Amino acid sequence: MTKLEELRLILREKEVPFFEDQELEYQLSRAGNDLERAAYACLLIKAENSTLQVSGLSLADTSAYWRRLAAMYRPNNTGILKGG
């Protein structure tokens, strides 16, 4: 499985399509080909307020769901803080 295919799975693109492959490739490149960093960035983008209202019908905001998924891929700061 390629990183692009794996990223699509993490982002649940089959069920909730949002990104074009070119956008996902850009995010992977921007993250230095680090799958988890790319997933985190993409999930945060998906977490933008997604409430939709059309002709009196409304869909619930799903941003909290995407933020919870993003938390699984949040990069950890492993650096050592030095006192000044």
Side-chain angles (χ1 to χ4, degrees):
M1 177 180 307
T2 67
K3 285 193 176 192
L4 178 62
E5 292 168 333
E6 195 170 351
L7 184 57
R8 274 195 228 113
L9 285 174
I10 291 169
L11 300 176
R12 313 246 163 100
E13 283 294 299
K14 186 175 181 180
E15 295 84 11
V16 185
F18 188 88
F19 295 101
E20 299 289 331
D21 282 354
Q22 183 179 3
E23 293 171 297
L24 295 176
E25 289 167 355
Y26 169 75
Q27 291 295 336
L28 276 167
S29 172
R30 192 166 177 243
N33 214 29
D34 183 316
L35 180 64
E36 291 194 0
R37 285 187 183 272
Y40 180 69
C42 290
L43 287 165
L44 288 180
I45 292 169
K46 274 190 159 184
E48 293 174 358
N49 189 340
S50 57
T51 302
L52 177 64
Q53 292 185 338
V54 178
S55 301
L57 298 174
S58 64
L59 296 174
D61 178 21
T62 58
S63 61
Y65 169 75
W66 298 112
R67 282 193 306 271
R68 281 193 307 273
L69 284 179
M72 294 171 47
Y73 298 96
R74 182 179 320 147
N76 294 322
N77 184 0
T78 58
I80 298 172
L81 297 176
K82 295 182 181 182

